[in-house]
Amino acid sequence: MGAVPVSRGEQTRERILDAAETIFAEQDYSAARLEDVAQAVGIRRASIVYYFSGKQELYDAVEQRVFDAMMARTRQALDPDAPAIDRVLSLIDSWLDFMVERPTVPRLLLRDSANTYPNASAPVRISAIALQAWEEVVRAGQASGELAPANPMHLLHLLGASPIYYAATGQLLGEERSYDPAAPEQLEAFRGLLHKSARALLLPHTD
Amino acid sequence: MGAVPVSRGEQTRERILDAAETIFAEQDYSAARLEDVAQAVGIRRASIVYYFSGKQELYDAVEQRVFDAMMARTRQALDPDAPAIDRVLSLIDSWLDFMVERPTVPRLLLRDSANTYPNASAPVRISAIALQAWEEVVRAGQASGELAPANPMHLLHLLGASPIYYAATGQLLGEERSYDPAAPEQLEAFRGLLHKSARALLLPHTD
């Protein structure tokens, strides 16, 4: 899922990260075991430790790779010359599409959010790249008067948390309410609502 | 946190549930241990098993108590004769206030959402009481033409997930972005945005 690997060692490293991403999405950090990652890759536990000194380092590398991929997508979507509202919508869309295409991601994010870490810990540090991008786009629009004033983190909860829930919990709502988040008609209906909320929250004078 | 206990046995049961709620909010189900709950209460592990046959039964009882308390709050807030939009706003407010007052709850909900369960499992069954209430209020307003058509579960992600994130992650955003979710000025600012989004999503002809 990362960059195209060249050497055999880099290939193995990527395969370890692929397996670990799946396992850390399915299980809490405390329950996930390096042995299970090794087994999924078809190597010995000792071989993982050659690439990652331990579970925490492996977890941090998984998170780093996820956020790097997400932000690469976001940067591609962000037109620096577009109106502020379009930049916000592009950013949200890039996150929504990324999470629908890579279902491990919303579950990793839910786990990060449920676990408390001290302020300076790795998850906060690694996710800061996304929080900063969001804050920059919103604050620039607020500074130019294109967007209404509001706490960017409050806005992030309203517009960034719902894609996580949309992508992660479509099958957790009981039989009669469940849906496939990747089904185009579901995705476009949700995106329409998300954009409607974003315009209402961000465009001035819409009270 | 539950109903006023009467007998010594009911008191102990409530104390076990209080301790378990804290521990299950702090740790994933897989990591939480009955021994830690017993230690927090000041009793032996065997005494817990007298009340709850095992970890799964204790977890389900914690979830049941949380959802019962949340829905009691919601029922109190819901005026059957109020306009549909006011009923939705009252319901959202009751959930937001409940989660801010009882910070274990948003973290339990995040963990439930991150863990996948088969459709008929206990978390889905227990949370169904909240999903049903939401669906009823939204569908009644849609049927009367007061509210715009949209998938109630999509609307739930947009309006129900953000209070979870608001209440759970205020301290997880890095030092310079963190806030106290219970601070009145934060809570009222967020509530104003939440209502704005709800009106935009739910009232007809606001495109």
Side-chain angles (χ1 to χ4, degrees):
Chain A
M1 300 188 220
V4 179
V6 281
S7 73
R8 174 102 187 250
E10 284 174 35
Q11 278 182 14
T12 305
R13 192 176 184 278
E14 285 299 304
R15 285 168 56 218
I16 294 169
L17 287 171
D18 288 346
E21 185 174 321
T22 300
I23 284 170
F24 285 130
E26 283 171 4
Q27 295 169 43
D28 189 70
Y29 176 82
S30 58
R33 299 177 337 138
L34 287 187
E35 285 77 5
D36 297 333
V37 176
Q39 200 183 359
V41 180
I43 57 178
R44 284 168 310 141
R45 187 186 185 287
S47 306
I48 291 185
V49 181
Y50 173 79
Y51 294 94
F52 304 96
S53 64
K55 188 161 80 164
Q56 185 66 53
E57 193 187 330
L58 179 56
Y59 184 79
D60 291 351
V62 165
E63 290 265 300
Q64 188 70 60
R65 194 176 68 146
V66 160
F67 275 96
D68 286 348
M70 186 166 99
M71 294 315 295
R73 176 77 82 94
T74 300
R75 272 189 298 276
Q76 215 172 15
L78 278 183
D79 173 359
D81 301 320
I85 184 69
D86 294 338
R87 285 169 56 79
V88 173
L89 296 179
S90 297
L91 189 157
I92 297 171
D93 281 345
S94 75
W95 289 358
L96 173 62
D97 291 329
F98 182 70
M99 287 193 274
V100 167
E101 288 166 27
R102 195 158 161 173
T104 48
V105 175
R107 293 177 63 197
L108 286 169
L109 296 181
L110 285 169
R111 294 189 188 286
D112 283 344
S113 310
N115 289 314
T116 47
Y117 306 92
N119 278 342
S121 76
V124 169
R125 178 171 50 72
I126 295 170
S127 68
I129 183 181
L131 298 184
Q132 272 160 16
W134 171 261
E135 209 168 23
E136 261 177 51
V137 169
V138 171
R139 286 210 191 282
Q142 290 174 332
S144 70
E146 290 172 90
L147 302 182
N151 182 330
M153 293 300 109
H154 290 185
L155 293 168
L156 180 64
H157 297 320
L158 282 149
L159 298 169
S162 56
I164 298 175
Y165 266 82
Y166 171 81
T169 69
Q171 307 294 326
L172 292 180
L173 301 165
E175 247 175 86
E176 70 281 12
R177 300 187 193 86
S178 289
Y179 61 85
D180 172 10
E185 74 279 9
Q186 292 288 334
L187 182 56
E188 293 323 307
F190 179 74
R191 193 193 308 277
L193 294 171
L194 186 60
H195 285 200
K196 194 190 266 195
S197 175
R199 290 179 195 280
L201 291 170
L202 287 163
L203 293 177
H205 315 302
T206 55
D207 277 334
Chain B
M1 300 188 218
V4 180
V6 281
S7 74
R8 175 100 186 253
E10 285 174 33
Q11 278 182 14
T12 304
R13 192 176 184 279
E14 285 299 306
R15 284 168 56 219
I16 293 170
L17 287 170
D18 288 346
E21 184 173 321
T22 300
I23 284 171
F24 285 129
E26 282 171 4
Q27 294 169 44
D28 188 71
Y29 177 81
S30 58
R33 299 176 338 137
L34 287 186
E35 285 76 5
D36 297 333
V37 177
Q39 201 183 0
V41 180
I43 58 179
R44 284 168 311 141
R45 186 186 185 286
S47 307
I48 292 186
V49 181
Y50 173 79
Y51 294 94
F52 304 97
S53 64
K55 188 162 79 165
Q56 185 65 55
E57 193 186 331
L58 178 58
Y59 184 79
D60 290 350
V62 165
E63 289 265 300
Q64 189 70 60
R65 194 175 67 147
V66 160
F67 275 97
D68 286 349
M70 188 166 98
M71 294 315 296
R73 176 76 83 93
T74 299
R75 273 190 297 275
Q76 216 172 16
L78 277 183
D79 174 359
D81 302 321
I85 184 69
D86 293 338
R87 285 169 56 81
V88 173
L89 296 179
S90 297
L91 190 157
I92 298 171
D93 281 345
S94 75
W95 290 358
L96 173 62
D97 290 329
F98 183 70
M99 287 193 275
V100 167
E101 288 166 27
R102 195 157 161 173
T104 48
V105 175
R107 294 177 62 197
L108 286 169
L109 297 181
L110 285 169
R111 294 188 188 286
D112 283 344
S113 311
N115 289 316
T116 47
Y117 306 92
N119 278 342
S121 75
V124 169
R125 180 172 49 72
I126 295 169
S127 68
I129 183 181
L131 298 185
Q132 273 160 16
W134 172 260
E135 210 168 20
E136 260 177 50
V137 169
V138 170
R139 286 212 190 279
Q142 290 174 333
S144 70
E146 290 171 89
L147 303 183
N151 182 330
M153 293 301 108
H154 291 185
L155 292 168
L156 180 64
H157 297 321
L158 282 150
L159 299 169
S162 55
I164 298 175
Y165 266 82
Y166 170 81
T169 69
Q171 308 293 324
L172 292 179
L173 301 164
E175 246 175 86
E176 70 281 14
R177 299 186 193 88
S178 289
Y179 62 85
D180 173 10
E185 74 280 8
Q186 293 287 336
L187 182 55
E188 294 321 308
F190 179 74
R191 193 192 308 276
L193 294 171
L194 186 60
H195 286 199
K196 194 189 269 193
S197 175
R199 290 179 195 281
L201 292 169
L202 288 163
L203 292 177
H205 315 303
T206 53
D207 276 331

